[in-house]
Amino acid sequence: MTQEGVIKFQLDWQAGPVIACALRATLSHWRDVLHAHGLIGADPARYGGIGFGNVSCRCRSGFLITATQTAHLRALAPEHFCQVTHWDIVHNRICAEGPQPPSSEALSHAACYDAHPDICWVFHIHHPQLWRQAAALGLAATPPDAEYGTPAMALAVSDLAGKTHLPLLIRMAGHEDGLIAAGHSGWETGTLLLNKVAEAQASSALRR
């Protein structure tokens, strides 16, 4: 596994004002809920202390996503979001604008939006128990050699997302503890994640 949180794609970022998006408050709410459950955050004992997890939603002609290196914050402000306006997965390129650059996982979010026209929300979280129990819980998985933030991971996510009914949850096998969920709404996507995490925790407790 390679280091978390490092932007690997070619980024064309235009620094600018806070992005106006009617869904930003809802996206911020779900991000903070996932942070409160430990599914987004930063832990000195994990991944070298680098932050993990990010969320996005369709907005205008692209998507709104949490900015890079914001996972450690308990709650986000409007300036902690970035608009991705264009992307090219094959050529590993992202165009974005806003107060801060986009999350290092932006390419995988873009892949979900490309794969399924009904996907409007994408949440990427880390949860060791759920990640390890993915097969037992019937979750699809990307190939182990597809690393986070790369075209290989994005293409693998796109392939699975295009063949799966919504809401969907995918184990990112080449991204330690990483999972990505997508759905029609923030509530649908967030609820799926919280329910699957609870299921994984209950299963782990039964085996003790």
Side-chain angles (χ1 to χ4, degrees), residues 129 201 203-208:
Q129 289 172 314
Q201 291 172 331
S203 179
S204 293
L206 287 174
R207 289 201 298 269
R208 288 175 187 156

Side-chain angles (χ1 to χ4, degrees), residues 30 112 116-123 137-140 157 160-171 179-196 199:
W30 275 106
C112 289
H116 204 306
D118 292 333
I119 289 177
C120 292
W121 299 76
V122 179
F123 297 166
L137 294 174
L139 303 186
V157 167
L160 292 173
K163 298 186 290 191
T164 308
H165 293 295
L166 299 183
L168 62 86
L169 179 57
I170 295 169
R171 177 186 191 257
L179 301 109
I180 194 163
H184 302 92
S185 69
W187 183 89
E188 179 183 64
T189 309
T191 300
L192 170 66
L193 274 176
L194 295 178
N195 287 343
K196 286 297 183 182
E199 189 176 347

Side-chain angles (χ1 to χ4, degrees), residues 39-182:
L39 305 178
I40 291 175
D43 182 346
R46 298 166 65 188
Y47 326 123
I50 299 295
F52 56 89
N54 35 73
V55 299
S56 72
C57 66
R58 282 194 194 268
C59 190
R60 300 192 305 224
S61 59
F63 59 93
L64 192 71
I65 189 168
T66 43
T68 187
Q69 302 304 322
T70 57
H72 65 287
L73 299 171
R74 185 183 62 81
L76 297 191
E79 61 267 24
H80 295 134
F81 294 88
C82 177
Q83 176 88 8
V84 174
T85 55
H86 298 90
W87 54 89
D88 184 332
I89 293 173
V90 173
H91 294 97
N92 200 29
R93 185 167 179 263
I94 289 282
C95 297
E97 60 187 26
Q100 299 183 49
S103 162
S104 60
E105 200 60 65
L107 209 63
S108 291
H109 287 250
C112 289
Y113 296 120
D114 268 355
H116 204 306
D118 292 333
I119 289 177
C120 292
W121 299 76
V122 179
F123 297 166
H124 168 52
I125 60 103
H126 281 217
H127 192 272
Q129 289 172 314
L130 181 54
W131 191 77
R132 289 193 297 265
Q133 295 179 37
L137 294 174
L139 303 186
T142 59
D145 59 352
E147 297 181 352
Y148 95 92
T150 64
M153 173 63 82
L155 290 170
V157 167
S158 179
D159 180 60
L160 292 173
K163 298 186 290 191
T164 308
H165 293 295
L166 299 183
L168 62 86
L169 179 57
I170 295 169
R171 177 186 191 257
M172 305 169 91
H175 184 27
E176 185 179 1
D177 302 335
L179 301 109
I180 194 163

